[in-house]
Amino acid sequence: MDIVSALRTFLRVVETTSFSAAAQDLNLTQPAVSRQVSALEAHLNVRLLHRTTSALALTAEGERIIPMALRVLEAVDDLGDSLGHNVGAAAGRVRLSVPAPLGLFLSDRLEGLLSLYPGLFVELLFREEASDLIQEGIDLEVRLGPVADNGLICRRIGWTTAFLVAAPSYRERCGLPSRPEDLAVHDCICYQRAAHSHIWSFSDGAGEIPVRITPRLTANNAVAVHRATRAGSGLSVLSHILAVPDIESGALVDAMPDFRPTRLPINVVYSSRRNMPLRIRTVVEFLIDAVRSDPLMRDAEG
């Protein structure tokens, strides 16, 4: 039995929760995938998956093997890199989790990366909250703000820029705030990304001004907040990726230009490991170049 292939197949079944989906991703037949997983179970003398006609579930042994399987496969990838087999030719699948606005920004730029590396496959996941990278088989995740998990490698690649915006129809109906404290009498739309989402923070150039808001509408997706804001439902804090094109076209107005939303660090995080496979290093470099190509994400000045 090829245990490396069997481990890759097992992890893909876990990630997709389906033998057929894993078979499609791996360009194998479903019976072949089932045979590899069964052979792995026989080799280890444990049951890794509970199988029913309608679902798959990890056994306790299956859950315990995932971190070890990932380490084995990373070591195999590192071996290939160190021997020069993949120099200049990153290949394989990379699962990348990003907040929705940055995901849209990257979607416009991935063609260049994929054209340069025909053997590279990127699975782009839009996530507004932090993921369990190991359990979910995610290679890289972009997080905004401080990263509290000490078990992860964290690399800052840029800074957010956001705007407090409103639709012209909202301005005509309710006016606009001139200072952060004025938000208490306005309808606010909250992008509920984290525990402190109901506290908006602004800067006047001298310091930060936190404001607790009582939102009329909340959503856990920035694109939904963007659409509700354009429809005139209230004020929102939006990434420049979504806000700037609409401010320039007049679809949204910059509601409080003297008090900008506080900038947050943009971090790429990944599981602790001594060496990173070439496929993942290549995507990290792509992320750095893409983010730093945008002046509004490049640094924390201004």
Side-chain angles (χ1 to χ4, degrees):
M1 180 190 64
D2 182 347
I3 194 168
V4 172
S5 295
L7 288 172
R8 290 191 193 278
T9 299
F10 166 69
L11 289 176
R12 198 62 194 142
V13 169
V14 172
E15 291 165 2
T16 61
T17 67
S18 166
F19 279 98
S20 59
Q24 183 175 4
D25 283 354
L26 296 169
N27 197 27
L28 297 171
T29 65
Q30 184 173 335
V33 167
S34 182
R35 283 195 299 272
Q36 285 199 32
V37 173
S38 295
L40 181 63
E41 290 177 321
H43 178 77
L44 299 173
N45 197 30
V46 293
R47 180 172 290 277
L48 302 174
L49 294 167
H50 292 300
R51 303 162 174 83
T52 69
T53 56
S54 59
L56 291 174
L58 279 166
T59 65
E61 292 78 12
E63 290 180 355
R64 286 202 299 270
I65 199 179
I66 287 175
M68 292 181 282
L70 288 169
R71 287 197 294 270
V72 169
L73 296 181
E74 286 163 5
V76 171
D77 287 341
D78 290 344
L79 180 61
D81 290 350
S82 66
L83 295 175
H85 293 168
N86 295 320
V87 173
R93 185 177 301 273
V94 176
R95 302 189 81 211
L96 169 62
S97 169
V98 293
L102 186 61
L104 297 174
F105 176 84
L106 295 175
S107 296
D108 292 335
R109 293 159 175 79
L110 276 167
E111 188 277 334
L113 176 72
L114 298 178
S115 295
L116 189 59
Y117 300 102
L120 186 66
F121 299 84
V122 176
E123 186 175 345
L124 194 60
L125 308 173
F126 283 24
R127 296 280 179 89
E128 310 300 337
E129 298 179 354
S131 307
D132 185 328
L133 303 190
I134 295 292
Q135 189 65 35
E136 299 183 61
I138 294 172
D139 297 300
L140 298 168
E141 183 162 76
V142 176
R143 297 183 185 176
L144 308 181
V147 176
D149 192 337
N150 292 328
L152 297 175
I153 301 297
C154 176
R155 183 173 180 180
R156 193 184 71 202
I157 61 174
W159 294 83
T160 65
T161 294
F163 293 81
L164 181 72
V165 292
S169 60
Y170 179 85
R171 177 181 58 186
E172 293 170 8
R173 187 172 73 251
C174 302
L176 295 176
S178 58
R179 301 184 60 83
E181 52 265 34
D182 296 341
L183 290 169
V185 296
H186 280 273
D187 294 339
C188 295
I189 306 170
C190 183
Y191 168 30
Q192 193 163 349
R193 185 180 55 83
H196 302 296
S197 296
H198 291 189
I199 298 176
W200 287 353
S201 180
F202 299 88
S203 174
D204 61 359
E208 293 185 12
I209 306 169
V211 179
R212 179 172 293 276
I213 62 166
T214 303
R216 294 291 309 281
L217 174 65
T218 63
N220 66 350
N221 181 277
V223 177
V225 171
H226 177 219
R227 292 174 70 92
T229 307
R230 282 178 56 111
S233 297
L235 293 152
S236 70
V237 174
L238 287 179
S239 164
H240 77 286
I241 296 167
L242 298 173
V244 167
D246 281 350
I247 292 172
E248 292 175 346
S249 71
L252 291 174
V253 295
D254 186 357
M256 204 163 56
D258 293 334
F259 296 88
R260 293 296 187 202
T262 301
R263 303 185 75 182
L264 299 174
I266 303 172
N267 297 304
V268 59
V269 300
Y270 45 93
S271 302
S272 298
R273 64 192 69 175
R274 187 176 62 181
N275 295 309
M276 185 186 295
L278 180 60
R279 59 189 169 86
I280 298 179
R281 292 204 307 269
T282 300
V283 174
V284 169
E285 293 305 316
F286 162 75
L287 287 172
I288 293 171
D289 290 344
V291 166
R292 293 180 181 174
S293 71
D294 186 322
L296 293 182
M297 289 192 283
R298 187 177 301 144
D299 55 48
E301 301 300 324

